[in-house]
Amino acid sequence: MQNIDLVACFHFFVMLLDFVNPSARMIYVGKEKGFHTRKQEDIHDLLFQFAEAGGTILRLKGGDPYIFGRGGEELEYLEKKGVEVTCIPGITAASGIGAELGIPMTHRGVATSVRYITGHFREDGDEFEDSFQGAVDKNTTLVIYMGLSNLSKLSEVLLRHGLPTDTPAVAVERGTLPGQRIVFSEFGEFPQKVEESGLTSPTLLIIGQVVALSKKWQQFMAEAETKRTTVTEDITA
């Protein structure tokens, strides 16, 4: 990282910048709902322009760049332009958050598969409905990235496809980071509980019986019996 000329980064990675060449140019290319600093095509062009000029570029992404990180698109674009690219794999949010909360994505006798789904879709298509076709399976853990803003809609779709209302679910804001907040709920009340909590992006959704393996779920169930409330948690820096 000491030989880097350009860092194109997401704002979560400020803590890593102490390891970067102090003379490197820093460019923020983060994306949040309603606020994209650059279109994806512009990011492609930016990376290529610096590479063409002979620069060494560090493209910092959240989690694993090849799981809903559009890393494959950037790789494809740059390699077609003759740019050499090396990917250093990351830990995707589902794995990191699952480990943090004690939620395995698969578990013998509980879940035999896991399905990663994006909850963010173009407004001009029906891909939202299509993506959830066949997704409801008692032996499958559903992990939904970028689904917070569409939670009510995806809840309707999943219930329509047969997801039981008592299915354990959890929403995790800023997972594994300072300021992490979590909301547990049975799925029938999930959208309401998440909205009441005021969670903001980035928030990961995990739905399935494996959620009940977390000690925090057990805490939620114990409290729900007496208070009928949702467990939330703040992790301070």
Side-chain angles (χ1 to χ4, degrees):
M1 295 176 73
Q2 290 297 313
N3 298 322
I4 296 299
D5 300 306
L6 169 71
V7 178
C9 65
F10 194 58
H11 66 278
F12 287 159
F13 304 106
V14 174
M15 70 284 288
L16 297 179
L17 299 185
D18 289 340
F19 300 97
V20 175
N21 176 6
S23 64
R25 183 173 177 180
M26 310 290 179
I27 299 181
Y28 173 67
V29 292
K31 295 180 180 180
E32 299 178 27
K33 181 174 175 58
F35 178 66
H36 289 190
T37 57
R38 287 176 170 81
K39 294 180 179 179
Q40 187 63 41
E41 294 77 10
D42 295 334
I43 295 174
H44 291 172
D45 291 339
L46 174 71
L47 298 175
F48 175 67
Q49 288 171 12
F50 274 86
E52 188 179 36
T56 301
I57 305 162
L58 175 62
R59 175 71 167 105
L60 279 174
K61 288 179 171 287
D64 188 300
Y66 293 160
I67 299 181
F68 301 126
R70 305 192 75 168
E73 296 174 42
E74 294 173 8
L75 173 71
E76 181 180 38
Y77 178 86
L78 292 171
E79 287 191 336
K80 284 182 177 179
K81 296 283 190 178
V83 178
E84 181 180 350
V85 180
T86 299
C87 177
I88 300 174
I91 298 174
T92 190
S95 298
I97 290 171
E100 170 79 16
L101 299 183
I103 300 173
M105 295 297 100
T106 61
H107 190 84
R108 188 173 183 178
V110 180
T112 56
S113 64
V114 57
R115 184 167 179 172
Y116 295 165
I117 305 174
T118 176
H120 177 70
F121 298 98
R122 297 191 304 267
E123 296 180 357
D124 59 349
D126 57 2
E127 52 189 327
F128 195 100
E129 184 82 27
D130 293 343
S131 289
F132 289 94
Q133 290 285 351
V136 176
D137 174 1
K138 66 178 182 178
N139 297 316
T140 297
T141 303
L142 300 180
V143 181
I144 302 175
Y145 289 70
M146 301 171 289
L148 182 63
S149 62
N150 285 322
L151 179 53
S152 293
K153 182 176 180 180
L154 70 87
S155 175
E156 293 174 2
V157 173
L158 289 173
L159 292 172
R160 187 162 60 248
H161 285 288
L163 185 73
T165 57
D166 62 353
T167 302
V170 63
V172 187
E173 174 191 310
R174 293 181 60 84
T176 75
L177 296 172
Q180 170 181 289
R181 294 197 297 157
I182 61 177
V183 173
F184 284 103
S185 174
E186 292 185 342
F187 194 73
E189 299 181 333
F190 195 43
Q192 176 186 347
K193 297 298 185 182
V194 171
E195 182 178 5
E196 290 173 352
S197 73
L199 295 188
T200 60
S201 296
T203 292
L204 187 80
L205 311 175
I206 304 175
I207 303 163
Q209 295 302 323
V210 292
V211 173
L213 298 175
S214 171
K215 290 182 179 179
K216 295 183 186 298
W217 171 264
Q218 298 162 24
Q219 176 189 353
F220 157 70
M221 290 299 289
E223 293 190 6
E225 285 298 318
T226 56
K227 300 179 182 179
R228 310 302 299 175
T229 59
T230 301
V231 175
T232 62
E233 175 183 64
D234 289 290
I235 297 180
T236 57

